[in-house]
DNA sequence: AGCTAATCCTA
DNA sequence: GTAGGATTAGCTA
């Protein structure tokens, strides 16, 4: 071996465990022998030897060895008998594969190395250091953190599962310390799988922080008395010896006696026939073929090798899918009981909910949800039969299965359908459901498998979509789905525009906003007394999770068909209740028509300028760093400024600043309010903390996060709007939330300049002025407010003038500011406590203001009292359009819970009515634009509660603006004539900051 | 890996 | 004082 050579050290023992868990165990030989880990191992080796240059390693090896653990008595057990003592026996299916994997290594003509008394890691360490000393490069094929201590500029690791190289920066990124400090870090954190004790209470973060501060473990132990945190200090002092012992356990030995020298690891020529004989014995057909092609051998002429197998225990058949059998249905009545609001103070409500659930369950009890009754649609003929049946009954529940929760990224994998089968008996609640798999795959698209294949016997995607299109676009057949906006977008991206639909989530939301969530699982529990199969039970969770296209089709059928089945049952249960509660209009005017409107907005997205954000990010980072230096200087030590806990200890513990208050968990509060108060007393540090927080907030939440939401194909940011997650009727926005982009100060507003229009277009922002106060003036019917809005005078100045008797002309800004705070306070269900906080005045003074306000505007007090009474009486309040917001805890015996619910109930009709108005505007806007010939020139992109943002062709701005303003200002009509006018301000510019 | 608390951004 | 969502830290499983 010489300089420039490249030694690969494959951690065979590590690989076999990871491959075993990562690759589904259905991978068996025809005689039932499990070979999943061996298969992964062979594929990995083959790719590494054949096309390592196409992987993230980028080089082909000149030398290679596969290293294994040998027996269990190692030197570590001698120093610490408990080492690896909590290891349980390996899984039964893995045991025969230990031997096979060694056979595989030899079949590849590779050295298979194990040394008694040492672990594979020590052997790897010894070879790595030896090779490095000669000047060779080393790649350790493993992702085990125990080996990361070996990484140097010349020694890399390679994660074969993820095809990812691991170098010094990667170690630092993952663990916060460079490779040479990994030993100390692991000594402190310990390792529960190997039973390395470590120091209790110290995790990777703390360990990295301590190492940063003290340099290494010995220094830390020597200077432990300097650690401020009492518990931490005590732990470290008490466990110093344990830490030193742990260090011995995790430090790898580099002096293992080697049977084979480096020279002997040189890569031998492949022995084609020998390898093929082994692969044939394992029945790895794809790899056999590939090897035969590469080596130019005739595979059929080679006999499978005789490979002895050491079975650890008797093999068993494949597991049945757990938890999907009848057992759950038998449990259903109990589930219904458990879901009946146990925390609610109103036991009557609870009892009623229980009754309803029980009744529903009764109604369906003769027709239990039965996974065995579901069918899989495998042929075009069968699909046609289902579509015909759906047309026959006129109602079909459907659900799309995809690869992602993001409808803009999701790839369609399958569709489930459910219909009422009333061919035998009219009105029977018999439901038939089926799953149509379209793009299920097998295998894996990674280094260690045979590659991906489409599973056989699936209806071709294009053909299925063409058939479904006719059904889904036909308004005379009602399509029912849960959270339908998602499915709408997924199929829209396949050229299908859904027409004629109902959404069970939205029906539930209209019926019960504020009383529990409206997800399918919750609704199924609540109304059907049935717990659907959990998604993670079919697709796994955490690192073993797979996308739906890799779910076995039988399992997928049970899961997907059940979703449609449950959706149809929910629809049958909930839809009639809308009319019974008089809520049909709310659903049909304010909810359902918004689905396509929002779907289109999400689909359009908005352009952001990444350059602006990246420049801002750099500036913020610089400024934040200089603040950090000053903060450490003032504090006299380094600490995590972002940790309120550590910050509180510094400010109120170490520095002993006065005026600290505690949060509800007893921590020191370090809120901006508290820090501002300290700064006002002349303390320099708190001001800097406030500024630092602002900078890091902008950086992490906006400049750094937003670019990661740019869609790879559209190059735009597509937020997701939730129609059913607020109690009041507002929308919410997430991933990213575009309803909280900074606007209140100059630094933050720079973020808005990054939201830009496409060339040839402007962004047009139109927002309602004072919409909530106008709604208040309407619902509480306050003469002075109505008059002020009618005449267009400054509403806060008018309020101040009424309250304090100061003329509007030449009013001091402070007086107006107070009146403004009171006006907002009213909308929020005012309390003296809250107003006092807002204005930094005494509670008694705030109380006096409120008293005065009510004297001048008695109608407002009447409104607040009658709203509370209505809420107590009915358990909900209503907006001016009849939308309901439920407050089940309004009768709570806990005064603060009760008061909170009362304030929310006062606010809901105001906030909710305003939300209804803008919903109506959003529904009306597209037809209004189309009528003015602007359909193609104006696109609505965003909604921010009282603001709508459009992208408008340059030359259409002048025409579009009055149409938009007019539509928004008259959005309540014709349903309702408001007693005050609505006012909308609009501007257009090339970015959101200037348009707003 | 998944949860809660604290904080801070919006209307 | 109302209504949301995202990030980070720090803990538990």
């Amino acid at each position: 071996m010489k300089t420039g050579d490249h030694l690969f050290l494959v951690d065979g023992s590590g690989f076999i465990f990871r491959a075993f868990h990562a690759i589904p165990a259905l991978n068996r030989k025809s005689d039932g022998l499990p070979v999943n880990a061996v298969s992964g191992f062979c594929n990995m080796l083959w790719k590494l030897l054949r096309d390592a240059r196409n992987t993230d390693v980028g080089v082909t090896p000149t030398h290679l060895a596969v290293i294994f653990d040998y027996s269990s008595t190692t030197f570590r057990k001698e120093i610490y008998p408990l080492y690896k003592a909590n290891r349980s026996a390996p899984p039964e299916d893995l045991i025969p594969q230990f031997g096979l994997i060694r056979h595989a290594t030899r079949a590849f003509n590779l050295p298979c190395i194990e040394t008694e008394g040492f672990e594979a890691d020590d052997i790897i360490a010894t070879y790595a250091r030896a090779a490095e000393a000669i000047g060779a490069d080393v790649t350790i094929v493993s992702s085990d953190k125990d080996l990361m201590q070996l990484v140097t500029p010349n020694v890399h690791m390679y994660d074969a599962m993820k095809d990812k190289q691991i170098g010094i920066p990667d170690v630092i990124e993952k663990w916060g310390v460079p490779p040479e400090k990994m030993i100390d870090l692991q000594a402190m954190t310990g390792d529960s799988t190997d039973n390395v004790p470590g120091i209790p209470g110290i995790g990777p973060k703390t360990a990295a922080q301590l190492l940063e501060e003290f340099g290494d473990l010995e220094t830390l132990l020597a200077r432990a008395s300097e650690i401020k945190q009492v518990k931490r200090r005590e732990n470290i002092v008490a466990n110093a010896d344990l830490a030193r012992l742990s260090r011995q356990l995790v430090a790898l030995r580099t002096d293992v006696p080697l049977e084979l020298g480096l020279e002997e690891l040189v890569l031998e020529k492949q022995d084609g026939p020998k390898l093929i004989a082994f692969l044939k014995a394992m029945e790895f057909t794809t790899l056999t073929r590939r090897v035969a092609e590469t080596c130019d051998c005739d595979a059929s002429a080679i006999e499978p090798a005789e490979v002895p197998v050491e079975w650890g225990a008797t093999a068993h058949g494949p597991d049945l899918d757990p938890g999907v059998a009848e057992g759950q249905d038998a449990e259903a009545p109990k589930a219904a009981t458990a879901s009946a609001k146990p925390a609610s103070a109103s036991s009557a409500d609870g009892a009623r909910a229980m009754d309803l659930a029980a009744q529903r369950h009764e109604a369906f009890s003769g027709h239990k949800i039965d996974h065995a009754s579901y069918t899989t649609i495998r042929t075009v003929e069968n699909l046609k039969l289902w579509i015909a049946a759906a047309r026959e009954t006129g109602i079909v529940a459907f659900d799309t299965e995809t690869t992602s929760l993001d409808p803009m990224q999701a790839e369609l994998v399958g569709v489930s359908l459910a219909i009422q089968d009333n061919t035998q008996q009219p009105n029977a609640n018999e439901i038939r459901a089926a799953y149509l798999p379209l793009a299920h795959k097998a295998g894996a698209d990674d280094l260690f498998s045979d590659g991906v294949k489409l599973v056989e016997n699936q209806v071709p995607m294009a053909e299925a979509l063409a058939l479904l299109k006719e059904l889904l676009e036909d308004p005379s057949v009602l399509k029912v789905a849960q959270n339908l906006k998602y499915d709408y977008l997924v199929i829209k991206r396949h050229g299908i525009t859904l027409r004629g639909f109902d959404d069970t989530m939205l029906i539930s939301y209209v019926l019960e906003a504020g009383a529990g969530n409206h997800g399918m699982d919750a609704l199924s529990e609540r109304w059907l007394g049935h717990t659907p199969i959990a998604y993670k039970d079919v697709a796994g969770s955490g690192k073993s999770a797979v996308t739906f296209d890799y779910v076995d089709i039988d399992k997928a059928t049970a899961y997907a068909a059940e979703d449609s089945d449950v959706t149809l049952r929910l629809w049958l249960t909930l839809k009639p209740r809308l009319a019974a509660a008089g809520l049909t209009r709310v659903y049909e005017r304010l909810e359902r028509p918004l689905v396509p409107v929002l779907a289109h907005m999400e689909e359009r997205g908005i352009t952001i300028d990444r350059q602006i954000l990246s420049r801002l990010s750099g500036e913020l980072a610089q400024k934040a760093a200089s603040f950090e230096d000053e903060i450490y200087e003032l504090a006299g030590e380094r600490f995590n400024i972002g940790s309120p806990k550590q910050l509180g200890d510094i400010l109120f513990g170490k520095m002993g600043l006065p005026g600290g208050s505690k949060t509800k968990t007893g921590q020191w509060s370090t809120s901006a309010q508290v820090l501002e108060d300290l700064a006002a007393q002349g303390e320099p540090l708190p001001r800097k903390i406030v500024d630092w927080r602002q900078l890091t907030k902008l950086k992490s939440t906006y400049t750094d996060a937003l670019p990661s939401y740019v869609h790879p194909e559209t190059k735009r940011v597509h937020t997701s709007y939730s129609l059913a997650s607020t109690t009041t009727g507002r929308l919410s926005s997430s991933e990213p939330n575009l309803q909280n982009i900074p606007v209140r100060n100059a630094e933050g507003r720079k973020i808005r300049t990054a939201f830009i229009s496409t060339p040839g277009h402007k962004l047009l922002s139109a927002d309602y002025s004072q919409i909530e106060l106008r709604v208040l003036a309407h619902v509480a019917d306050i003469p002075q407010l109505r008059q002020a809005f009618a005449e267009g005078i400054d509403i806060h100045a008018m309020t101040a003038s009424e309250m304090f008797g100061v003329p509007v002309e030449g009013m001091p800004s402070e007086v107006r500011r107070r009146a403004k705070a009171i006006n907002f306070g009213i909308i929020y269900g005012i309390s003296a406590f809250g107003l006092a906080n807002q204005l930094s005045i005494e509670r008694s003074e705030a109380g006096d203001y409120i008293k005065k306000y009510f004297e001048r505007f008695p109608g407002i007090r009447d409104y607040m009292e009658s709203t509370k009474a209505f809420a107590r009486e009915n358990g909900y309040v209503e907006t001016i359009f009849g939308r309901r917001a439920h407050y089940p805890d309004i009768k709570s015996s806990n005064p603060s819970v009760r008061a909170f619910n009362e304030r929310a109930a006062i606010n809901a009709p105001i906030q909710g009515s305003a939300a209804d108005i803008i919903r109506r505007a959003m529904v009306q806007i597209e037809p209004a634009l189309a009528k003015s010939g602007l359909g193609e020139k104006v696109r609505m992109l965003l909604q921010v509660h009282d603001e709508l943002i459009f992208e408008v062709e340059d030359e259409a701005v002048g025409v579009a603006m009055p149409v938009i303003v007019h539509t928004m200002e008259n959005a309540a009509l014709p349903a309702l004539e408001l007693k005050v006018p609505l006012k909308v301000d609009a501007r257009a510019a090339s970015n959101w900051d200037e348009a707003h």
Side-chain angles (χ1 to χ4, degrees):
Chain A
M1 184 178 277
K2 57 187 183 302
T3 306
D5 280 351
H6 203 121
L7 168 65
F8 276 44
L9 295 164
V10 178
D11 175 13
S13 297
F15 189 90
I16 191 171
F17 275 101
R18 280 195 77 201
F20 179 78
H21 291 292
I23 303 170
L26 7 127
N27 221 319
R28 282 164 194 273
K29 216 150 74 66
S30 52
D31 61 2
L33 180 69
V35 289
N36 55 333
V38 182
S39 152
F41 182 75
C42 292
N43 280 294
M44 185 272 288
L45 274 186
W46 179 248
K47 290 205 178 168
L48 221 45
L49 295 171
R50 277 297 128 202
D51 41 67
R53 280 182 196 283
N54 295 328
T55 69
D56 207 35
V57 199
V59 285
T60 28
T62 58
H63 298 66
L64 194 149
V66 184
I67 326 282
F68 294 96
D69 289 326
Y70 184 82
S71 79
S72 60
T73 48
T74 64
F75 73 94
R76 290 188 177 81
K77 267 239 161 29
E78 284 166 28
I79 350 182
Y80 186 61
L82 289 174
Y83 181 70
K84 293 200 175 176
N86 56 2
R87 279 278 171 95
S88 45
E92 213 173 290
D93 282 351
L94 180 55
I95 293 169
Q97 302 192 60
F98 286 122
L100 293 176
I101 213 161
R102 288 171 169 80
H103 283 286
T105 308
R106 284 189 280 269
F108 271 94
N109 236 3
L110 295 169
C112 190
I113 293 168
E114 41 201 320
T115 305
E116 185 156 15
F118 293 94
E119 292 180 63
D121 291 354
D122 297 303
I123 304 170
I124 291 172
T126 306
Y127 275 122
R129 289 288 175 259
E132 206 184 2
I134 296 175
D137 290 320
V138 180
T139 292
I140 299 168
V141 180
S142 169
S143 58
D144 194 334
K145 71 168 189 307
D146 296 347
L147 289 164
M148 291 192 182
Q149 56 182 275
L150 298 173
V151 172
T152 68
N154 304 316
V155 177
H156 288 82
M157 288 173 66
Y158 173 68
D159 182 342
M161 306 272 174
K162 293 182 183 155
D163 184 21
K164 198 179 161 301
Q165 214 180 22
I166 301 167
I168 296 176
D170 307 286
V171 176
I172 295 174
E173 191 190 346
K174 182 146 185 5
W175 295 98
V177 297
E180 62 271 18
K181 292 193 182 179
M182 280 302 292
I183 301 177
D184 285 349
L185 182 133
Q186 288 176 264
M188 282 190 259
T189 59
D191 187 331
S192 57
T193 53
D194 290 347
N195 214 22
V196 174
I199 302 172
I202 307 280
K205 297 284 167 199
T206 316
Q209 188 207 320
L210 290 169
L211 287 172
E212 167 86 4
E213 193 176 340
F214 292 94
D216 61 56
L217 180 63
E218 274 312 317
T219 315
L220 167 71
L221 295 178
R223 292 168 45 195
S225 57
E226 296 171 29
I227 294 165
K228 297 177 309 304
Q229 295 91 336
V230 181
K231 254 251 129 70
R232 184 176 296 173
R233 184 176 61 232
E234 286 169 357
N235 273 333
I236 292 173
V237 172
N239 295 288
D241 287 339
L242 221 43
R244 291 193 182 92
L245 170 68
S246 300
R247 197 180 189 289
Q248 278 187 280
L249 294 176
V250 298
L252 298 180
R253 295 265 296 264
T254 54
D255 57 351
V256 178
L258 301 173
E259 275 176 45
L260 295 182
L262 284 170
E263 293 307 325
E264 291 159 282
L265 305 184
V266 73
L267 210 48
E268 301 285 348
K269 212 168 157 300
Q270 197 75 255
D271 183 342
K274 179 172 160 192
L275 179 54
I276 289 169
F278 175 80
L279 296 173
K280 282 186 84 167
M282 291 294 109
E283 300 172 10
F284 299 157
T285 46
T286 313
L287 192 55
T288 304
R289 183 167 40 77
R290 284 193 196 153
V291 174
E293 282 166 14
T294 314
C295 304
D296 215 12
C297 303
D298 179 6
S300 57
I302 299 168
E303 282 297 305
E306 294 266 333
V307 181
V309 175
E310 297 151 36
W311 289 86
T314 46
H316 57 77
D319 283 332
L320 288 172
D321 190 10
V324 194
E326 297 80 6
Q328 293 204 343
D329 279 330
E331 292 279 317
K334 275 191 209 151
T337 311
S339 72
K341 304 178 186 173
S344 168
S346 77
S347 58
D349 270 9
R352 201 180 41 139
M354 240 163 75
D355 279 357
L356 284 174
Q359 277 172 28
R360 288 328 303 176
H361 185 261
E362 191 71 19
F364 283 101
S365 59
H367 314 281
K368 276 185 193 163
I369 288 178
D370 173 16
H371 300 105
S373 74
Y374 299 150
T375 53
T376 309
I377 304 174
R378 296 284 198 173
T379 62
V380 172
E381 290 66 39
N382 197 4
L383 176 57
K384 284 180 177 165
L385 288 177
W386 274 88
I387 290 175
R391 288 189 173 282
E392 180 75 16
T393 59
I395 300 168
V396 56
F398 83 108
D399 186 31
T400 54
E401 301 301 334
T402 66
T403 54
S404 167
L405 281 170
D406 175 0
M408 286 303 295
Q409 311 257 1
E411 289 174 50
L412 188 60
V413 174
V415 176
S416 66
L417 301 169
I419 58 172
Q420 256 182 307
D421 186 356
N422 45 16
T423 48
Q424 308 298 320
Q425 264 180 294
N427 303 322
N429 278 322
E430 188 82 42
I431 287 175
R432 290 198 292 138
Y435 179 57
L436 168 68
L438 295 169
H440 282 257
K441 297 176 196 153
D445 190 11
D446 56 33
L447 196 60
F448 51 89
S449 86
D450 294 349
V452 179
K453 292 188 291 276
L454 209 56
V455 173
E456 289 177 358
N457 294 323
Q458 299 184 77
V459 179
M461 177 78 82
E463 212 168 330
L465 287 174
L467 290 169
L468 286 168
K469 185 178 167 87
E470 280 186 45
L471 181 73
L472 295 172
E473 294 193 340
D474 182 351
S476 69
V477 181
L478 182 71
K479 274 72 63 177
V480 183
Q482 165 75 13
N483 188 17
L484 180 135
K485 174 160 66 66
Y486 178 87
D487 308 275
Y488 182 100
L489 268 171
V490 169
I491 59 174
K492 178 124 194 306
R493 289 173 49 234
H494 285 91
I496 299 176
T497 303
L498 191 67
R499 284 188 198 89
F501 57 81
D502 261 341
D503 183 342
T504 45
M505 181 179 78
L506 295 185
I507 295 172
S508 165
Y509 179 59
V510 169
L511 290 170
E512 296 201 305
N517 74 53
H518 310 283
M520 198 189 73
D521 290 357
L523 293 181
S524 177
E525 297 266 0
R526 199 143 81 220
W527 296 101
L528 310 176
H530 170 78
T531 310
I533 305 169
Y535 182 77
K536 66 174 190 335
D537 287 345
V538 294
S541 68
K543 91 176 172 101
S544 60
V546 296
T547 47
F548 204 78
D549 45 351
Y550 288 97
V551 172
D552 166 76
I553 289 185
D554 287 342
K555 275 193 187 181
T557 296
Y559 173 83
E562 183 191 48
D563 273 4
S564 283
D565 183 356
V566 166
T567 301
L568 187 51
R569 285 170 201 255
L570 286 172
W571 184 85
L572 290 166
T573 307
L574 297 177
K575 186 69 190 250
R577 284 167 192 270
L578 271 184
L583 290 167
T584 307
R585 280 176 67 90
V586 173
Y587 172 69
E588 290 184 355
R589 303 291 174 97
L590 297 172
E591 298 291 339
R592 197 174 57 187
L594 219 55
V595 169
V597 172
L598 289 174
H600 297 153
M601 290 166 70
E602 294 181 11
E603 190 184 22
R604 290 173 195 134
I606 187 165
T607 303
I608 61 170
D609 187 329
R610 297 169 100 147
Q611 290 211 311
I612 293 181
L613 290 178
S614 122
R615 183 163 43 74
L616 274 174
S617 176
E619 288 170 18
L620 292 169
Q622 280 206 324
K623 290 185 195 167
S626 78
F627 272 107
E628 277 156 32
D629 293 340
E630 297 175 40
I631 287 166
Y632 295 145
E633 181 72 22
L634 285 166
E637 66 178 294
R638 297 172 69 84
F639 64 104
N640 182 348
I641 310 170
S643 161
K645 195 160 168 272
Q646 295 182 30
L647 178 61
D649 286 342
I650 298 271
L651 291 174
F652 303 107
K654 182 177 173 187
M655 300 176 64
L657 297 183
S661 64
K662 298 280 181 81
T663 67
K664 64 169 178 264
T665 52
Q667 288 292 314
W668 290 111
S669 169
T670 65
S671 64
Q673 183 67 60
V674 169
L675 298 180
E676 292 284 0
D677 290 347
L678 290 173
Q681 295 162 30
E683 278 296 331
L685 183 55
R687 170 93 264 141
K688 295 197 189 295
I689 304 279
V690 170
D691 291 344
W692 177 88
R693 275 190 186 163
Q694 198 207 341
L695 297 169
T696 52
K697 173 80 179 180
L698 290 175
K699 182 163 155 30
S700 67
T701 310
Y702 302 105
T703 64
D704 292 353
L706 278 173
S708 70
Y709 288 103
V710 172
H711 191 284
E713 283 152 39
T714 68
K715 310 287 183 205
R716 287 163 77 98
V717 173
H718 306 265
T719 183
S720 171
Y721 287 105
S722 170
L723 268 159
S725 59
T726 72
T727 304
T728 56
R730 274 190 175 181
L731 305 180
S732 75
S733 153
S734 61
E735 290 179 304
N737 180 358
L738 294 185
Q739 292 180 323
N740 72 345
I741 303 302
V743 72
R744 288 183 187 168
N745 63 58
E747 195 71 36
R749 274 223 301 279
K750 289 182 188 167
I751 310 280
R752 289 202 172 211
T753 65
F755 287 79
I756 56 173
S757 53
T758 36
H761 294 69
K762 292 279 181 292
L763 288 183
L764 189 158
S765 159
D767 69 297
Y768 283 105
S769 160
Q770 313 275 19
I771 188 168
E772 294 191 346
L773 276 177
R774 287 170 201 263
V775 167
L776 175 69
H778 170 86
V779 296
D781 198 4
I782 309 299
Q784 303 99 307
L785 291 176
R786 285 178 60 185
Q787 195 190 346
F789 281 125
E791 293 171 8
I793 41 182
D794 179 338
I795 198 71
H796 302 309
M798 185 283 293
T799 306
S801 174
E802 283 275 343
M803 282 183 66
F804 306 115
V806 185
V808 172
E809 294 289 316
M811 175 180 291
S813 65
E814 175 59 22
V815 175
R816 183 178 180 279
R817 187 179 80 89
R818 294 193 173 198
K820 185 177 174 181
I822 296 169
N823 277 334
F824 273 105
I826 294 295
I827 290 169
Y828 297 153
I830 202 154
S831 76
F833 179 84
L835 184 62
N837 261 340
Q838 178 67 31
L839 287 174
S840 302
I841 57 177
E842 289 301 313
R843 190 161 347 163
S844 58
E845 196 183 354
D848 291 342
Y849 283 178
I850 293 168
K851 196 156 158 257
K852 189 102 146 255
Y853 189 94
F854 285 154
E855 280 168 15
R856 304 303 302 171
F857 306 101
I860 298 223
R861 180 168 44 199
D862 294 345
Y863 162 77
M864 293 173 82
E865 288 305 321
S866 62
T867 305
K868 273 194 275 187
F870 186 94
R872 265 197 296 274
E873 174 79 21
N874 299 290
Y876 64 87
V877 291
E878 282 187 343
T879 67
I880 53 180
F881 295 98
R883 172 193 299 284
R884 292 180 185 174
H886 292 259
Y887 293 94
D889 294 337
I890 193 136
K891 291 185 183 170
S892 169
S893 55
N894 177 335
S896 67
V897 171
R898 195 170 60 239
F900 177 80
N901 277 271
E902 287 174 352
R903 289 193 299 271
I906 288 167
N907 171 257
I910 303 169
Q911 190 186 111
S913 298
D916 289 348
I917 290 171
I918 197 164
R919 279 179 181 239
R920 289 178 61 91
M922 294 170 74
V923 172
Q924 292 169 22
I925 210 107
E926 306 225 356
L929 290 167
K931 209 174 136 204
S932 308
L934 293 164
E936 304 292 308
K937 300 169 192 241
V938 183
R939 306 187 306 161
M940 181 160 58
L941 305 186
L942 303 178
Q943 189 252 41
V944 191
H945 307 310
D946 65 359
E947 177 188 13
L948 294 173
I949 290 108
F950 302 81
E951 195 162 50
V952 187
E953 282 183 14
D954 283 332
E955 57 273 23
V957 169
V959 193
M961 197 177 289
V963 174
I964 289 167
V965 168
H966 181 265
T967 307
M968 288 174 72
E969 289 185 341
N970 293 284
L973 298 169
L976 199 70
E977 187 149 12
L978 293 176
K979 296 169 188 163
V980 290
L982 294 178
K983 183 163 175 285
V984 170
D985 300 314
R987 278 165 77 177
S990 60
N991 69 65
W992 191 5
D993 181 39
E994 288 169 46
H996 183 73

